[in-house]
Amino acid sequence: MVWEIEAAYDGRYSPGVRHPEESPDHDAGRGGQSFFDGVVQLLKEGRPLRHPERMPTTGRIPKPRKRFYAVMRMMDQLGVTEELRDFIEKWEPGVHEFFPIRLIAKSTGEEMPVTYHILNVCNRIPSIVLDEELLRIERIGEGPDARHFWFRRSGKDPLPVFSRDAIGGRHIWRDDGSPARIFASDAFVEAMEEAGFKGWDKVCHYDEV
């Protein structure tokens, strides 16, 4: 089976991280794009970043804190500790990108004693079964550049299912038709729980065929 996972919204896990580069003053350096379009949105593509030089290296949290969890929400992504980064690398070595972020307390200017890494999931595959009865499917373009996006028709309908063959033994990925989401294998999620990593949530559990 397949889990959809995300960084927790709870303030004890994710106090709110802002980046100096968010200012419109930096738009020119991003080819005229906003921080969302030029950085955050690119992290949802499921591919290596086209512009890694745009990634910030520091982030601001409101005030100093003593406890840091394995996952902190950063730019709508999973910001992970070095321990969790190494854990992911053991499961899928050399597949994903990790961008280090040093955290600074805005109230004091103090640098926190932990470095997080923004996880860029670099597996993007057509993993879901495109069932027209369960899903509303929007197709854009034709030929090799054609794209599709899927949406559940109703929260009351049965959940869509994933193709075991398409997943091909991967453990953390994004789907072609819904790249903003992060999916993970049962084995990977179970291992994360057994290791005691906190700061992330299980969103939904899907069947495989």
Side-chain angles (χ1 to χ4, degrees):
M1 297 181 73
V2 172
W3 280 105
E4 180 182 341
I5 63 173
E6 67 179 12
Y9 282 90
D10 191 317
R12 63 178 166 164
Y13 297 126
S14 295
V17 181
R18 304 302 300 267
H19 305 278
E21 291 84 348
E22 291 182 44
S23 166
D25 295 340
H26 292 267
D27 288 359
R30 292 187 286 264
Q33 292 182 305
S34 67
F35 186 75
F36 179 81
D37 291 331
V39 181
V40 177
Q41 195 66 12
L42 300 184
L43 286 165
K44 300 177 182 180
E45 291 189 343
R47 298 280 188 263
L49 282 191
R50 288 172 282 164
H51 295 286
E53 73 280 0
R54 295 180 183 177
M55 286 295 297
T57 57
T58 60
R60 294 191 299 262
I61 56 176
K63 59 184 180 180
R65 56 192 287 132
K66 295 181 179 179
R67 192 166 187 179
F68 297 91
Y69 296 93
V71 178
M72 185 181 291
R73 179 174 292 274
M74 297 182 182
M75 296 189 277
D76 291 340
Q77 311 304 314
L78 277 67
V80 302
T81 58
E82 293 182 350
E83 182 182 8
L84 183 47
R85 176 202 61 187
D86 294 344
F87 173 89
I88 294 170
E89 280 289 283
K90 287 180 180 178
W91 281 79
E92 294 190 328
V95 173
H96 309 289
E97 292 181 330
F98 300 88
F99 296 94
I101 298 286
R102 296 180 295 109
L103 296 180
I104 310 295
K106 184 178 179 181
S107 61
T108 64
E110 177 184 355
E111 182 173 342
M112 299 296 95
V114 60
T115 296
Y116 278 83
H117 298 259
I118 294 177
L119 168 63
N120 181 31
V121 176
C122 294
N123 275 329
R124 193 179 84 194
I125 55 177
S127 58
I128 203 154
V129 177
L130 294 175
D131 186 333
E132 300 274 2
E133 294 185 3
L134 294 179
L135 301 171
R136 177 169 58 86
I137 302 169
E138 294 184 3
R139 291 181 169 84
I140 301 173
E142 297 180 357
D145 295 327
R147 296 287 308 278
H148 73 268
F149 298 93
W150 56 265
F151 309 88
R152 291 187 66 195
R153 292 186 179 277
S154 168
K156 297 179 181 179
D157 289 336
L159 290 172
V161 298
F162 283 75
S163 165
R164 189 175 295 110
D165 289 342
I167 293 169
R170 294 174 178 84
H171 291 290
I172 184 167
W173 72 92
R174 296 184 186 273
D175 183 79
D176 266 352
S178 188
R181 307 181 189 195
I182 297 175
F183 299 102
S185 68
D186 267 7
F188 179 83
V189 168
E190 182 179 343
M192 281 187 69
E193 291 178 322
E194 289 181 353
F197 293 124
K198 295 183 178 181
W200 60 286
D201 290 327
K202 295 184 293 188
V203 179
C204 198
H205 207 195
Y206 303 85
D207 283 328
E208 289 178 291
V209 294

